[in-house]
Amino acid sequence: MDLKKFYRIKTMQFSIYLVAIILTFLYPHLSTNWPFYLVLIGILLGNLLPIQYRSNFFSTDPGLILKRATRRLENSIDLSVTCIVIFFVLFFNFSW
C-alpha cells in the first residue's frame, strides 16, 4: 500500500512540474511568481512520501523506480529534474 502511495505522490509531483512549465509558456504575463509557487508546492508534496521510501542522497539501497540501480541514481535524477524545472520556470517567466 505504501508503494502505491509513493508512486501516486511522485506522479502528482511530476504532473505539477509539467503544469508549471506549460502554464509558464501559455500565460507568461499573468503573474510573475505564480508558476514558481506551483513548483514549490510540487517540491513540498515530496514531503508526503512515506518515511521508509525517503532515503539519504547517497543511499546504496536498491531503487524503487529503476530496479537495477541504486536510490543514489534515483535521487540524482529527481534533484536534476527539480532543478531543471526551477530553471525553466524562472528563466522563461522572467525573460518574457
Side-chain angles (χ1 to χ4, degrees):
M1 186 64 180
D2 283 339
L3 194 57
K4 285 183 181 180
K5 185 176 180 180
F6 170 81
Y7 287 126
R8 255 188 265 139
I9 289 173
K10 280 298 179 186
T11 303
M12 286 178 13
Q13 187 177 24
F14 289 126
S15 299
I16 288 173
Y17 290 168
L18 186 64
V19 167
I21 289 175
I22 289 171
L23 292 178
T24 299
F25 287 116
L26 292 179
Y27 303 107
H29 300 294
L30 188 62
S31 174
T32 55
N33 291 326
W34 71 269
F36 183 68
Y37 294 142
L38 191 59
V39 171
L40 288 178
I41 289 171
I43 292 169
L44 291 174
L45 187 66
N47 290 331
L48 297 177
L49 290 175
I51 286 290
Q52 66 265 27
Y53 296 113
R54 296 185 205 176
S55 62
N56 184 358
F57 190 78
F58 297 107
S59 175
T60 56
D61 295 337
L64 295 169
I65 298 171
L66 306 172
K67 300 293 183 190
R68 297 183 184 255
T70 62
R71 288 197 190 178
R72 179 185 320 163
L73 178 63
E74 288 182 357
N75 291 337
S76 299
I77 292 171
D78 191 34
L79 178 67
S80 299
V81 167
T82 302
C83 290
I84 288 169
V85 168
I86 289 171
F87 172 77
F88 275 132
V89 168
L90 288 178
F91 179 76
F92 287 115
N93 198 22
F94 292 132
S95 67
W96 296 106

